[in-house]
């Protein structure tokens, strides 16, 4: 009986085996279908589209930047794995954008900059873990190449191009410099365009600092941003993301800029990284079509908003608001563990920056309307207000998204009136929760109907909004107080000095305006006094300066004395010509290639890998990080030190002659008084000279540090850059020795 039962059981298992295989296959097909539907599909034109499942005309995405995974700082990757995966599971974004500098590529002393494959293996492993722990589809992750990810890469696809091998974009087959994804709701399309503007030939640092968009990239960007124009019945919100801020992005060969393309399409925002948080929290910049184009030598922007950005709207039929967009640089993961959540609610763009370094984020509040009047697109908002194009459904409620690990039991919105000089509470009411799939993921949408016209005011920062959330554990979380303006007016925010110098200065365009005046000034310093001597036959001496005091006489006397030292005069003149027309040094600019290139003020001269093997100038204006400090902080100070030494020698000679009685007018009282005043600085102790020698030592130390850093960066020794490293110290040493003894 037992054997018969066993045979029947075996027969039943054998019969059910094909059914189980069929069921397994069907289950796999269902999972693949579900994964495809969640991650998006290709439309008829080959465009990738994701359907948002929020149940609202609302999406949100996450941005991370400047991860800098390093073999010397393993805590960066460990924290990323432990924090970001669970955070993404809570937030459940439509997209995850990682805007460059995925790995660090630096030696422990921070001087040698080239890619390290171990860091890329770590990045690949960590991202696989993050994708798994977040529960998100890998296809919604978009990572971009930053300058650190391009150190020493001679070409895309080369053996050291680890980004193409280990990044998510590389593994997903996104090989172009421009990649797009569209997130669609029932009411709107949201177009995201990522751009890679790193050098097409990647140099080692430090001369790999700027973005370099090509004309081909700008043309492709223009095409991708217009892909839904005239093809969609729904309105389209456009967002672009990249690594470099516009202040650190060069113009293309035809002098076109990213800004021109962004304004043409009136994108809502450009998200970027690169600068980190150490320069400030307000690394943001507003651009509008009323300003000067970057191609028209717009070198500075003094405020976060350009002057004249707000003007009366044209309400005639078919008129559009002035083109504008925001540039939002975000903090770094490297030291500050920063993350950004950006939401687009019925076309209104808002964001919140999170700091995982200072505190854990148990509850996150992102108000989506009304917008922060400091950082909203005012042309668009003001046009809608003045022309009465406001859509009541997007203005008739205060709205916010709450992300919480615990059940949220109450959300309260408060509006304060700051006009009397202190915060007066003028509105307080609980917000209503909206159901949907988002509630199960920890993301919940809340709204509060209100009479928005009661808050119309000509002051953009009179009314302030704050939202309070209480979870089931009784924990209270407050959002940041933010001003709002129903009228579409902007609140003024001023940059600090550090914020201005990295966001308000167009550094790529400033290279030559800084370099050439500095070099021309040095030439004039040596040529003008020489011409006065040769052409006009005028001699300026200490005696003439004493007789006829004045700044011009003083300068001409010192410079003519300098010209009377032939070695110094010809030495500096030859050195200036050398700096302009000859290579400064030769170094290894690629990772482990062994080939050397040489650097000039026009960039690095490298041999391209194409069939014609032509020489190219690469890294202009990136070489300014070497050229400008050397000219401004080494060459010019050395000339000043030489002038001081020459002047001190002449004054000391005059002092010695006076006190030794060698002058005919020894008994002149005025001369004796002057001698007494000079005795402290120009006596036998020569204190002024000693102070100048201390300045010389500081200059020597500065120059030595520069040479050491460059030698480590490009694997050079003195043989590879004798002109750069030796000329200034030798000239300075000659003058010190020459002025030591007075005849």
């Amino acid at each position: 009986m037992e054997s018969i039962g066993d045979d029947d059981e075996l027969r039943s298992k054998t019969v059910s085996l094909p059914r189980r295989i069929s069921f397994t296959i069907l289950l796999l097909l269902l999972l693949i279908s579900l994964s495809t539907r969640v991650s998006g599909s290709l439309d008829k034109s080959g465009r990738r589209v994701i359907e948002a499942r929020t149940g609202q005309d609302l999406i949100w995405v996450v941005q991370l930047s400047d991860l800098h995974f390093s073999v010397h700082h393993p805590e960066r990757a460990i924290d990323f794995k432990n924090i970001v995966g669970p955070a993404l599971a809570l937030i459940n974004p439509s997209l995850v954008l990682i805007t460059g500098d995925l790995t660090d590529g630096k030696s422990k002393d921070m001087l040698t900059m080239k890619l390290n494959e171990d860091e890329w293996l770590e990045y690949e492993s960590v991202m696989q873990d993050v994708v798994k722990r977040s529960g998100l589809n890998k296809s919604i992750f978009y990572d971009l190449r930053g300058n650190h990810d391009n150190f020493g890469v001679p070409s895309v696809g080369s053996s050291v191009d680890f980004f193409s091998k280990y990044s998510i974009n590389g593994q997903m087959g996104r090989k172009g410099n421009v990649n797009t994804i569209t997130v669609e709701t029932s009411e709107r399309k949201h177009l995201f365009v990522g751009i890679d503007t790193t050098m097409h030939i990647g140099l080692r640092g430090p001369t790999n600092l700027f973005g370099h968009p090509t004309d081909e990239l700008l043309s492709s960007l223009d095409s991708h941003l217009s892909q839904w124009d005239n093809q969609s019945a729904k309105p389209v919100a456009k967002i672009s993301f990249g690594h470099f801020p516009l202040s650190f992005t060069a113009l293309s060969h035809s002098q076109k800029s990213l800004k021109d393309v962004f304004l043409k399409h009136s994108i809502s925002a450009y998200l970027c990284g690169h600068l980190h948080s150490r320069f400030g929290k307000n690394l943001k910049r507003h651009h509008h079509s009323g300003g000067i184009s970057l191609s028209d030598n717009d070198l500075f922007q003094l405020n976060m908003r350009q002057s004249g950005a707000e003007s009366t709207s044209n309400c005639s039929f078919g008129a559009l608001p002035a083109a504008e967009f925001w540039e939002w640089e975000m903090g770094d993961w490297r030291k500050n563990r920063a993350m950004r959540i950006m939401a687009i609610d019925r076309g209104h763009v808002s964001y919140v920056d999170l700091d995982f370094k200072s505190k854990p984020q148990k509850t996150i509040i992102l108000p989506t309307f009304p917008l922060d009047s400091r950082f909203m697109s005012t042309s668009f908002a003001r046009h809608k207000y003045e022309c009465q194009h406001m859509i009541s459904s997007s203005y008739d409620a205060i709205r916010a998204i709450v992300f919480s690990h615990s059940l949220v039991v109450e959300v309260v919105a408060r509006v304060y009136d700051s006009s009397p000089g202190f915060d007066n509470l003028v509105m307080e009411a609980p917000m209503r929760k909206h159901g949907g799939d988002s509630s199960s993921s920890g993301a919940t949408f809340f709204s509060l109907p209100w009479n928005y016209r009661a808050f119309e005011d000509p002051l953009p920062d009179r009314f302030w909004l704050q939202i309070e959330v209480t979870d089931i554990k009784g924990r209270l979380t407050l959002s940041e107080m933010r001003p709002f303006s129903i009228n579409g007016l902007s609140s003024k925010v001023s940059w600090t000095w550090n914020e201005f110098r990295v966001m308000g200065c167009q550094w790529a365009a400033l290279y030559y305006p800084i370099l050439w005046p500095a070099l021309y000034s040095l030439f004039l310093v040596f040529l003008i006094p020489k011409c006065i001597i040769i052409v006009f036959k005028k001699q300026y001496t200490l005696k003439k300066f004493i007789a006829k005091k004045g700044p011009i006489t003083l300068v001409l006397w010192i410079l003519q004395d300098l010209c009377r030292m032939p070695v110094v005069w010809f030495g500096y003149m030859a050195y200036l010509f050398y700096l302009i027309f000859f290579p400064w040094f030769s170094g290894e600019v690629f990772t482990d290639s062994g080939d050397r290139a040489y650097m000039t003020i026009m960039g690095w001269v490298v041999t391209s890998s194409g069939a014609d093997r032509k020489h190219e100038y690469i890294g202009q204006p990136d070489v300014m990080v070497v050229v400008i400090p050397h000219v401004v902080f080494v060459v010019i100070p050395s000339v000043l030190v030489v002038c001081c030494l020459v002047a001190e020698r002449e004054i000391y000679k005059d002092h010695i002659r006076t006190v030794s009685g060698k002058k005919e007018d020894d008994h002149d009282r005025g001369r004796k008084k002057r001698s007494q005043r000079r005795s402290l600085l120009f006596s036998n102790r020569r204190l002024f000279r000693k102070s100048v020698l201390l300045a010389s030592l500081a200059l020597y130390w500065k120059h030595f540090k520069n040479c050491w850093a460059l030698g480590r960066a490009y694997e050079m020794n003195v043989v590879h850059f004798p002109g750069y490293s030796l000329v200034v110290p030798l000239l300075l040493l000659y003058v010190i020795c020459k002025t030591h003894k007075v005849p």
Side-chain angles (χ1 to χ4, degrees):
M1 294 294 294
E2 290 180 4
S3 63
I4 294 174
D6 292 339
D7 291 340
D8 291 339
E9 183 178 357
L10 179 62
R11 190 180 299 109
S12 65
K13 289 181 178 179
T14 305
V15 172
S16 63
L17 184 59
R19 295 179 182 175
R20 292 182 179 180
I21 294 174
S22 301
F23 177 78
T24 303
I25 293 173
L26 288 174
L27 181 61
L28 288 173
L29 290 174
L30 179 62
L31 289 173
I32 293 172
S33 173
L34 179 61
S35 175
T36 303
R37 185 159 54 89
V38 171
S39 64
S41 58
L42 299 178
D43 68 359
K44 296 179 181 179
S45 301
R47 294 169 292 206
R48 182 166 293 280
V49 180
I50 295 176
E51 289 189 20
R53 292 181 163 187
T54 60
Q56 307 281 337
D57 184 9
L58 167 70
I59 69 163
W60 56 89
V61 303
V62 164
Q63 181 192 3
L64 295 147
S65 192
D66 296 270
L67 314 186
H68 290 269
F69 286 0
S70 171
V71 294
H72 308 294
H73 300 277
E75 70 280 359
R76 298 173 189 172
I78 294 172
D79 288 349
F80 194 88
K81 180 189 295 186
N82 294 335
I83 295 173
V84 174
L88 292 178
L90 170 70
I91 298 167
N92 191 24
S94 298
L95 294 173
V96 179
L97 313 175
I98 309 177
T99 52
D101 281 358
L102 314 179
T103 63
D104 198 40
K106 284 188 175 184
S107 60
K108 192 171 184 178
D109 61 5
M110 308 285 286
L111 296 179
T112 304
M113 306 177 203
K114 58 182 180 179
L115 298 189
N116 186 324
E117 190 169 11
D118 291 337
E119 295 176 350
W120 284 98
L121 289 168
E122 182 178 49
Y123 174 77
E124 180 187 39
S125 173
V126 169
M127 290 309 301
Q128 289 175 350
D129 185 84
V130 166
V131 170
K132 181 179 179 180
R133 296 178 70 175
S134 68
L136 301 175
N137 195 295
K138 185 177 180 179
S139 64
I140 71 169
F141 286 76
Y142 281 74
D143 49 8
L144 295 177
R145 196 191 309 256
N147 59 311
H148 281 248
D149 309 315
N150 199 35
F151 282 158
V153 179
S155 62
V156 174
S158 66
S159 60
V160 293
D161 179 20
F162 300 132
F163 177 88
S164 297
K165 184 177 180 180
Y166 297 110
S167 70
I168 292 178
N169 270 15
Q171 295 173 353
M172 298 294 293
R174 304 166 188 153
K175 297 182 179 180
N177 290 333
V178 181
N179 289 282
T180 64
I181 182 72
T182 301
V183 182
E184 187 172 9
T185 65
S186 58
E187 302 293 332
R188 193 179 309 272
K189 283 183 169 66
H190 307 83
L191 175 63
F192 290 82
V193 182
I195 53 174
D196 175 6
T197 59
T198 54
M199 294 179 180
H200 69 284
I201 298 178
L203 302 172
R204 290 192 192 183
T207 55
N208 186 339
L209 186 64
F210 288 81
H212 293 264
T214 62
D215 288 314
E216 292 77 15
L217 183 145
L218 294 179
S219 177
S220 178
L221 174 63
D222 185 26
S223 175
H224 280 83
L225 284 172
S226 62
Q227 63 180 270
W228 292 113
D229 295 356
N230 304 319
Q231 296 186 29
S232 175
K234 299 178 181 179
V236 181
K238 301 177 182 180
I239 303 289
S240 185
F241 57 99
H243 179 65
F244 299 95
L246 297 187
S247 56
F248 282 82
T249 301
L251 300 179
S252 69
H253 182 72
S254 62
Q255 300 300 298
K256 296 179 181 177
S257 72
L258 287 174
K259 175 182 174 180
D260 300 329
V261 180
F262 291 157
L263 285 175
K264 176 183 176 181
H265 294 277
S266 290
I267 69 171
S268 298
Y270 170 58
L271 310 178
C272 58
H274 189 53
L275 296 179
H276 301 197
S277 301
R278 67 178 179 271
F279 293 106
K281 298 296 184 182
N282 286 320
L283 300 182
K284 307 166 184 70
R285 184 176 177 182
H286 182 256
H287 304 268
H288 73 105
S289 57
I292 303 174
S293 169
L294 292 185
S295 56
D296 293 330
N297 296 321
D298 180 19
L299 301 180
F300 301 101
Q301 180 173 315
L302 299 180
N303 297 305
M304 191 179 298
R305 288 180 179 270
Q306 291 172 293
S307 58
E310 295 182 7
S311 58
T312 304
S313 298
N314 180 6
C315 296
S316 59
F317 178 75
L320 297 175
E324 63 177 335
F325 71 93
W326 270 99
E327 178 186 358
W328 289 330
E329 203 272 357
M330 76 160 293
D332 59 286
W333 181 266
R334 176 177 178 262
K335 285 189 176 181
N336 296 281
R337 306 297 189 264
M339 175 189 288
R340 171 177 291 164
I341 308 175
M342 187 192 73
I344 306 178
D345 179 10
R346 307 181 195 187
H348 302 291
V349 183
S350 56
Y351 69 90
V352 61
D353 285 338
L354 309 176
D355 178 5
F356 286 96
K357 182 178 181 180
S358 61
K359 60 180 179 179
Q361 303 290 336
K362 298 295 183 182
T363 300
I364 303 166
I365 307 170
L366 173 52
T368 62
F369 191 84
L371 297 178
D372 190 327
S373 59
R374 296 169 296 182
F375 310 121
M376 69 178 181
S377 297
T378 49
S379 297
F380 175 72
R382 200 169 183 198
H383 180 82
K384 294 176 70 174
Y385 174 78
E386 293 184 356
C387 301
Q388 297 299 306
H389 292 163
M390 290 181 290
I391 302 172
S392 59
S393 61
S394 67
Y395 276 72
D396 61 4
I398 297 174
R399 300 186 294 277
I401 312 170
V402 177
F403 309 91
S404 180
H405 289 280
S406 303
L407 179 65
V408 174
V409 296
E410 185 181 35
V411 178
V412 177
R414 297 188 180 96
V415 177
Y416 296 89
D417 184 351
S418 64
S419 57
F422 56 92
D423 295 336
N424 291 316
L425 183 63
V426 295
M427 176 181 171
E428 181 178 21
M431 301 181 72
R432 181 170 58 89
K433 175 182 176 181
H434 292 260
D437 294 338
S438 61
S439 60
S440 62
S441 69
T444 314
F445 183 62
F446 291 85
S447 67
L448 170 64
W450 68 332
N451 177 18
Y452 66 86
R453 294 197 177 276
F455 297 95
E456 295 176 349
D457 195 86
L459 296 177
D461 55 358
R462 176 181 174 181
F463 296 107
W464 292 68
L465 172 68
Q466 187 173 50
I467 294 174
E468 179 186 88
V469 175
T470 306
D471 65 14
I472 197 169
K473 297 181 180 180
R475 291 178 299 203
L476 296 179
T477 304
L478 294 173
S479 69
E480 178 192 13
M481 291 269 288
R482 55 175 62 186
F484 66 89
S485 172
I486 297 299
N487 306 46
L489 303 175
S490 62
S491 299
K492 305 301 181 186
V493 181
S494 298
W495 278 322
T496 63
W497 165 248
N498 279 335
E499 291 167 347
F500 162 73
R501 68 188 180 97
V502 294
M503 290 296 291
C505 301
Q506 197 63 33
W507 285 106
L510 281 169
Y511 175 38
Y512 287 133
I514 295 174
L515 175 63
W516 291 119
L519 291 176
Y520 290 153
S521 299
L522 287 170
F523 273 114
L524 292 176
V525 162
F526 291 99
L527 290 176
I528 289 179
K530 199 74 169 178
C531 290
I532 292 176
I533 295 174
I534 297 174
V535 178
F536 298 100
K537 309 295 183 182
K538 287 189 176 181
Q539 299 285 339
Y540 287 87
T541 61
L542 174 60
K543 185 176 181 180
K544 189 170 184 178
F545 167 67
I546 293 173
K548 186 181 180 181
K549 291 182 175 64
I552 296 178
T553 308
L554 171 66
V555 171
L556 290 176
W557 153 55
I558 295 175
L559 293 181
Q560 283 195 356
D561 267 3
L562 184 62
C563 293
R564 296 185 184 100
M565 302 175 70
V567 172
V568 177
W569 191 88
F570 283 107
Y572 270 106
M573 288 296 292
Y575 189 56
L576 292 176
F577 279 105
Y578 162 80
L579 293 179
I580 295 174
F581 297 108
F582 293 92
W584 286 30
F585 45 75
S586 66
E588 295 189 18
V589 294
F590 299 130
T591 300
D592 302 329
S593 69
D595 296 331
R596 289 190 173 273
Y598 56 88
M599 196 206 84
T600 73
I601 62 172
M602 304 293 291
W604 285 89
V605 181
V606 300
T607 304
S608 63
S609 57
D612 51 355
R613 303 285 292 174
K614 64 179 180 180
H615 294 284
E616 299 183 62
Y617 281 105
I618 304 297
Q620 190 278 324
D622 305 72
V623 294
M624 72 183 298
V625 300
V626 174
V627 174
I628 298 301
H630 182 66
V631 173
V632 176
F633 300 116
V634 175
V635 179
I636 292 178
S638 72
V639 174
L640 293 176
V641 168
V642 167
C643 290
C644 289
L645 290 172
V646 170
E648 189 275 341
R649 182 188 65 170
E650 291 302 311
I651 296 175
Y652 180 63
K653 284 167 60 177
D654 182 72
H655 170 74
I656 294 298
R657 290 169 183 170
T658 301
V659 298
S660 62
K662 293 182 179 180
K663 291 280 186 179
E664 294 181 358
D665 53 353
D666 288 0
H667 303 287
D668 183 79
R669 295 180 180 178
R671 177 173 292 279
K672 288 184 178 180
K673 290 181 179 180
R674 287 194 299 270
S675 176
Q676 292 172 358
R677 288 197 298 267
R678 296 189 208 129
S679 60
L680 181 61
L681 293 177
F682 304 101
S683 63
N684 291 333
R685 297 174 62 185
R686 303 182 72 175
L687 295 181
F688 181 77
R689 176 182 172 82
K690 292 177 181 178
S691 64
V692 175
L693 292 179
L694 285 176
S696 302
L697 289 176
L699 186 59
Y700 271 116
W701 177 245
K702 169 70 175 174
H703 185 56
F704 172 77
K705 286 175 58 179
N706 292 346
C707 293
W708 177 259
L710 288 173
R712 293 278 291 130
Y714 300 111
E715 301 184 29
M716 301 183 298
N717 53 45
V718 176
V719 175
H720 298 112
F721 57 144
Y724 175 89
S725 60
L726 297 178
V727 173
V728 169
L730 289 178
L731 286 173
L732 200 54
L733 182 61
Y734 174 83
V735 175
I736 291 173
C737 296
K738 192 73 173 178
T739 58
H740 176 63
K741 293 184 179 181
V742 178

